[in-house]
Amino acid sequence: MAGALDGITILDLTRILAGPTCTQLLGDLGAEVIKVENPATGGDDTRGWGPPNVCDTDGQPTDLSAYFMAANRNKKSVSIDISTELGQQQVRALARRADIVVENFKPGGLAKYGLGPDDLLTRQPGLIYCSISGFGQTGPNRDKPGYDLMAQGFGGIMSLTGEPDGAPMKVGVGIADVMCGMYATVGILAALRHKERTGEGQHIDIALVDSQLAWLINEGTNYLESGDLPQRRGNGHPNIVPYHVFAVADGHAIIAVGNDSQFARFCDYLGCAEIVQDARFATNLARTQNRDALLAVIGPRLAARPLAAVIAGLEACKVPVGPVNTIDLALGSDQAQARDMVVAMPRADVQKGQVRLLGNPLKLSRTPVSYRLPPPHCGQDSQEILGPLSLDD
């Protein structure tokens, strides 16, 4: 069954995480993705961000680090040194057969090679050219380097993450990179729709910091409306109480009480139904204003109960509850298996004969995602892709 983007070709000039996340998603949806890697540096930086690395059939580590594989399936890799005249000709030739170019060089970084958006769009007015950078193509910080950690710090999310009396804390994975890649994908699909209607291509300018500012979501608008700086609350929620991770007798339980009727059932389960009539706790607004007092009442009651009993009891009451899984439990769960969130892709030249990857969460009924190509070695498809190229302008 053909994917939604079957017939679309993407020239991928990205590395690290934000750009590769975008192009992998487009590849999963059926697009042909040609990833250009610099042979002088060993390709995408993340190839060296191991261990762990996949081992070859002799047990030796390869350039397939787990980090690289997280965002580079469904791609073909070609080795091109764009600092050379030949390399620039090769990229221009690949761009001529592409519908979309995605790059994450520093602003202006490709223009000095004649490969910037103005250069390629002048030659191909129907081309979609997406530039991903730390701060965007404009603004006083445009020339500063863009890394996920820097974006999380500059964009404010670190000031909200962590315990109230602790240090600012980044999210556990490169979420600014990943979300920027997601926004880039949305922009590319919108530009593709415009091209289908008008024949016009365009330049998409997307920044890690802009993306991170956008997903401040309610905390961002809380500040814009009130003028009050949001505070770190650990696992608490600024607008809903109780919505927290609670210690129980043998671990931790997540409890998310979203409305007053759920709160009444929650209190009934805990054996403290009388506090529902307490003016301090009767409404969600009152509970947010008396957060500490409420937690002092319910915390000890939960701490005395085992996790399994809390989950079973609150599920029976239709109060949202769940465990804090470690990654092995999360990926090994019946739910993850039922939703195909772990996929095995055959690769004959590695020790285990396959690589295991995280699945794509999109479930499309008519054009499902597909897993066609395992993450490539650096330059493994150079002969196939570059051999037939005509370099004539």
Side-chain angles (χ1 to χ4, degrees), residues 112-130:
K112 64 183 179 182
Y113 302 122
L115 302 174
D118 292 340
D119 303 302
L120 296 189
L121 283 165
T122 297
R123 296 166 181 263
Q124 298 169 249
L127 184 66
I128 296 167
Y129 191 113
C130 179

Side-chain angles (χ1 to χ4, degrees), residues 83-118:
S83 68
T84 67
E85 183 177 350
L86 173 61
Q88 293 156 24
Q89 290 178 329
Q90 289 173 321
V91 170
R92 280 193 286 269
L94 288 172
R96 284 198 297 273
R97 57 173 283 196
D99 302 281
I100 300 159
V101 172
V102 187
E103 59 91 5
N104 63 348
F105 284 70
K106 291 181 182 179
L110 286 176
K112 64 183 179 182
Y113 302 122
L115 302 174
D118 292 340

Side-chain angles (χ1 to χ4, degrees), residues 298-319:
I298 63 178
R301 293 172 181 266
L302 287 165
R305 305 180 185 216
L307 177 62
V310 170
I311 290 178
L314 290 180
E315 284 182 344
C317 299
K318 294 184 168 38
V319 173

